[in-house]
Amino acid sequence: MSATRICLVRHGETAWNAEGRVQGQLDVPLSEVGRAQALAVAAALAGERFDAIYSSDLVRVRQTAEPAAERLGMPVALDAALRERHYGMFERLTYVEARERHPAEYARFKARDPEFDFVSGESLAGFASRALACVAALVERHAGQCILGFTHGGVLEMVYRRAAGMTLSSPRDFEIPNAGLNRIEALPGEWRVTAWAEVAHLERALDDLPG
């Protein structure tokens, strides 16, 4: 069986990314920088061939996907399962504000407690299960094909951890820049990273995610 090749792109920069503000599942549009990054992604991928394009349904991701889809002449299938983790009580706050206002909850977040759900959000364990089930379903649906996916930093982190055999609780030692290109090859029981955090097409690339 041939591996499914997947190119995953984190959405372009938003004003909230630049501020270190937690977006989660709130619908924040791309900034001017992010829109330029989306065009750069489209140019970088123009010579490649894909069998399908998928995107989170949140606006910052759709806006990142649209130039590439137009350049490739392909439709985009929206999938809510590719959304970012729901950060509950942290959403709208900067990480600094979250630490100051909710120190106990922030400590559980930083400790990567798999059951902590921001009181009204999504646990790390639940988020990982949802995101990885979505990507696994795409691998099965497009066995042996090449997929282009647009998603969020959190989803990319879960994919990398799955492919690299990392636990949810281990520190993050890899980059997840806005509008970076990340590539894996996947069989139903085996994923591997072939390239990660490619940013040669960008003038600047921000990784605002906590470690």
Side-chain angles (χ1 to χ4, degrees):
M1 180 184 296
S2 299
T4 302
R5 290 169 294 130
I6 309 175
C7 177
L8 292 168
V9 184
R10 186 184 175 199
H11 63 79
E13 187 176 310
T14 71
W16 284 27
N17 288 140
E19 295 170 5
R21 192 171 299 280
V22 181
Q23 298 173 115
Q25 295 193 2
L26 298 178
D27 232 0
V28 182
L30 294 181
S31 64
E32 183 176 346
V33 170
R35 291 191 293 272
Q37 290 174 332
L39 293 174
V41 167
L45 297 175
E48 300 192 32
R49 187 191 68 79
F50 298 98
D51 296 290
I53 303 177
Y54 290 88
S55 171
S56 160
D57 60 341
L58 296 183
V59 65
R60 60 189 181 273
V61 187
R62 289 190 283 109
Q63 289 178 328
T64 306
E66 285 164 1
E70 182 176 354
R71 187 104 176 223
L72 293 166
M74 298 177 64
V76 179
L78 301 181
D79 193 332
L82 288 171
R83 284 186 179 190
E84 183 59 279
R85 182 180 178 187
H86 194 311
Y87 279 78
M89 65 193 299
F90 282 18
E91 292 187 352
R92 293 188 171 86
L93 303 178
T94 65
Y95 289 106
V96 172
E97 290 169 342
R99 184 180 68 240
E100 292 174 348
R101 297 183 192 182
H102 308 289
E105 290 82 1
Y106 190 83
R108 291 185 68 186
F109 165 63
K110 286 296 288 182
R112 306 188 63 83
D113 180 342
E115 302 307 320
F116 175 58
D117 64 359
F118 306 97
V119 179
S120 56
E122 193 172 17
S123 72
L124 183 59
F127 168 60
S129 178
R130 183 253 294 175
L132 294 177
C134 177
V135 177
L138 296 181
V139 169
E140 183 176 359
R141 187 180 310 157
H142 294 280
Q145 296 183 330
C146 189
I147 307 169
L148 175 58
F150 292 84
T151 187
H152 304 261
V155 174
L156 284 160
E157 179 176 351
M158 296 305 103
V159 169
Y160 187 99
R161 288 178 181 277
R162 164 71 173 78
M166 295 176 64
T167 66
L168 293 179
S169 59
S170 58
R172 177 167 70 91
D173 60 359
F174 51 93
E175 295 293 309
I176 312 176
N178 285 121
L181 307 182
N182 310 278
R183 301 172 190 269
I184 68 168
E185 289 186 351
L187 293 166
E190 178 185 359
W191 298 4
R192 70 183 185 93
V193 175
T194 56
W196 198 262
E198 296 179 333
V199 293
H201 57 293
L202 303 174
E203 291 186 8
R204 61 179 263 188
L206 177 66
D207 180 352
D208 60 311
L209 303 173

